[in-house]
Amino acid sequence: MLKPSQTCCGCFSLLAGVQFICFLSIVTNVLIIALTSSTEPIQFLGLVISPFIQISAATWSFLGLPIAVAAGVGAMHRIEANVRLFMLYAACTLIPAMGVPLSLVFSGSVCNATISPELQRMGSAFVCGFTDAFVFMWTLIFTLVQSYIVYILWSASEEIRKEPYPELVRYQDALKSVKIPGAMDGGYTM
């Protein structure tokens, strides 16, 4: 069984890591929304992104904004449901973020979309193979980073579930060590 992490990236607390992840998600979602056009296709690295795809991505990003804000507040105030909902959102984001580049690599359309025909004539097998390997490598790296983010969010929600009030545990331990006067002889007498 998978064990929850105790830290984020080996040096931050889980809850600080969740807040940083929420910040990055908010910035990314705002950028996606700001760059969206409902009428004009966008050309990105030689790929044409249709208005329908742009609107779909912007809608998903717009949905993610309040979820990320709620998760940041949830990490600060130890609210498990908010962090777990953001984890599910991040896991659902992973599927198209990984699927779209992989479908382009396996369909062979990355080379045609990103490399000019003049350069392809110089050795299309080498140029297209290198391009496909490059896109596949960065897709794999992005997938690993996104999977680690989902793992950190899951670990934080598990930590919150196990101890929702860690400051009370500290006081509980302190109270257990306190000796009550008169408790040994059967109680107080007046």
Side-chain angles (χ1 to χ4, degrees):
M1 186 170 161
L2 190 62
K3 293 183 180 181
S5 177
Q6 301 298 315
T7 62
C8 177
C9 300
C11 57
F12 298 112
S13 73
L14 280 176
L15 300 180
V18 169
Q19 290 177 341
F20 182 70
I21 291 167
C22 291
F23 173 74
L24 288 179
S25 177
I26 290 169
V27 168
T28 303
N29 289 341
V30 167
L31 282 173
I32 289 171
I33 292 169
L35 295 173
T36 298
S37 171
S38 63
T39 57
E40 298 291 323
I42 292 178
Q43 225 175 6
F44 180 72
L45 298 175
L47 299 172
V48 177
I49 304 171
S50 71
F52 177 77
I53 300 294
Q54 292 178 57
I55 294 295
S56 299
T59 303
W60 185 252
S61 296
F62 187 72
L63 178 67
L65 285 174
I67 293 173
V69 170
V73 172
M76 189 181 310
H77 296 289
R78 301 186 69 85
I79 303 170
E80 177 195 0
N82 292 2
V83 178
R84 199 164 297 271
L85 179 64
F86 187 55
M87 178 202 66
L88 292 173
Y89 173 80
C92 290
T93 303
L94 179 64
I95 296 166
M98 179 180 64
V100 171
L102 286 179
S103 67
L104 291 172
V105 167
F106 292 130
S107 70
S109 60
V110 172
C111 188
N112 293 332
T114 58
I115 306 298
S116 68
E118 294 84 26
L119 191 57
Q120 287 183 21
R121 279 188 225 119
M122 298 173 103
S124 65
F126 176 73
V127 172
C128 291
F130 181 76
T131 304
D132 288 343
F134 184 77
V135 170
F136 183 75
M137 180 197 68
W138 280 106
T139 301
L140 183 63
I141 290 170
F142 180 76
T143 301
L144 290 174
V145 169
Q146 185 73 12
S147 298
Y148 182 72
I149 287 171
V150 171
Y151 172 68
I152 291 298
L153 293 170
W154 173 77
S155 297
S157 62
E158 288 296 309
E159 178 185 299
I160 293 170
R161 183 182 59 81
K162 287 179 184 172
E163 282 192 40
Y165 306 107
E167 63 277 352
L168 293 181
V169 173
R170 181 173 36 132
Y171 294 120
Q172 178 185 10
D173 293 340
L175 285 174
K176 284 181 183 177
S177 65
V178 172
K179 303 287 185 211
I180 301 175
M184 295 296 188
D185 60 359
Y188 292 110
T189 57
M190 293 221 181

